[in-house]
Amino acid sequence: MNSTAGSLPIYIQIAELLVRDIAANRLIDGERLPPERDMAAELGIAVGTLRKALAELEKRGLLERRQGSGNYIRAVSNPQSVYAMFRLELIEGGGLPTAEILSVVRREKPADLPDFGKSSEAWRIRRLRRLSGKPAALEEIWLDAGAAVGFKVEDLSESLYLYYRQKLKLWIVRAEDRMGLGFVPEWRPDEFGMPAGAPAPQVLRISHDQRGGKVEVSHTWFDPEIARYVARLK
């Protein structure tokens, strides 16, 4: 596992991976985690990095560290996660989401997008999404220019919603996903496993901010040989 410019620190990546496993009930309440050295070796990280990740989970109330006994999961109904609204998982379950930004431009909103925001322009962000390193999905995100005062491409982070909160004071609090069938776009990078024009599951997302306004619209095309869309109701 590695960390690149704009990505979350490795210990946060590990913490988020464990949070997703808790949310999916792959790690259950009271479950004892493997010894730290074994767990670090399996994840390919240093023991010190793992301990920082576990400390982050403990801070969030998701882990109990018992002296001389080990680390135990404390499951809660709605664990807070940077990727709380990210619905794709590997076919076999789980997977750490990461994102590579392919392009960012400001332009007129296309006429075929649902109505959103107050500006006639939007920031278009294209990304390749990976799950535990596997190219899983393509994203085209349109953020209303009127909601993105102070938008700086150089400050974009791997988690857009985290960037929105920290840099734009914009909270995405609700989203509507519409599933359908689309076609892989022409701008796909070579490493994405499906050719341009191939039929692919597509998610149209309309996102609302803390004031209730529609501020973002996105398209996601994913490879069904690698990923699946999951929504859990609790």
Side-chain angles (χ1 to χ4, degrees):
M1 185 165 293
N2 54 57
S3 183
T4 59
S7 67
L8 299 172
I10 293 175
Y11 81 93
I12 293 292
Q13 293 182 35
I14 296 299
E16 290 293 335
L17 179 63
L18 295 173
V19 168
R20 280 169 63 82
D21 283 345
I22 293 170
N25 293 319
R26 285 185 289 273
L27 290 173
I28 62 174
D29 190 56
E31 181 173 346
R32 182 178 182 272
L33 294 178
E36 291 179 359
R37 291 192 179 279
D38 294 348
M39 194 171 175
E42 182 180 346
L43 292 167
I45 60 173
V47 173
T49 301
L50 175 65
R51 287 174 178 161
K52 288 181 68 176
L54 297 178
E56 176 67 20
L57 287 185
E58 186 177 28
K59 184 171 69 174
R60 300 189 200 183
L62 297 172
L63 188 78
E64 180 181 355
R65 310 183 82 168
R66 301 177 190 171
Q67 187 67 32
S69 178
N71 299 307
Y72 294 82
I73 294 298
R74 293 181 60 190
V76 299
S77 60
N78 185 28
Q80 294 300 305
S81 170
V82 169
Y83 300 113
M85 290 190 181
F86 186 69
R87 301 299 187 191
L88 295 184
E89 295 185 353
L90 292 170
I91 293 295
E92 60 269 26
L96 176 70
T98 55
E100 177 187 344
I101 294 174
L102 303 175
S103 67
V104 182
V105 296
R106 178 170 173 160
R107 61 190 311 169
E108 290 286 324
K109 294 175 180 174
D112 60 352
L113 286 182
D115 184 54
F116 72 105
K118 298 178 180 179
S119 175
S120 63
E121 295 187 335
W123 289 95
R124 188 196 69 192
I125 304 162
R126 288 175 173 171
R127 304 196 299 178
L128 170 66
R129 278 283 199 173
R130 295 184 179 88
L131 285 168
S132 295
K134 296 181 180 180
L138 302 172
E139 293 178 331
E140 184 172 276
I141 300 152
W142 294 84
L143 175 65
D144 180 56
V149 178
F151 189 96
K152 294 182 179 179
V153 174
E154 63 271 20
D155 289 342
L156 283 177
S157 67
E158 184 172 285
S159 170
L160 283 184
Y161 287 177
L162 186 63
Y163 169 79
Y164 293 171
R165 291 201 305 266
Q166 292 180 341
K167 302 296 184 179
L168 304 179
K169 307 306 178 187
L170 172 67
W171 279 259
I172 300 297
V173 298
R174 184 166 63 88
E176 174 188 337
D177 285 356
R178 302 175 185 176
M179 290 288 297
L181 182 66
F183 300 93
V184 176
E186 293 292 333
W187 51 264
R188 59 169 287 282
D190 290 341
E191 62 187 293
F192 188 68
M194 303 179 70
Q202 181 178 354
V203 183
L204 169 67
R205 170 169 288 185
I206 303 171
S207 300
H208 300 248
D209 67 6
Q210 69 268 33
R211 302 175 189 86
K214 299 176 184 177
V215 295
E216 182 197 74
V217 171
S218 67
H219 289 290
T220 299
W221 302 265
F222 64 91
D223 186 341
E225 296 295 320
I226 292 177
R228 61 184 179 182
Y229 179 94
V230 178
R232 294 183 174 85
L233 305 178
K234 294 186 178 181

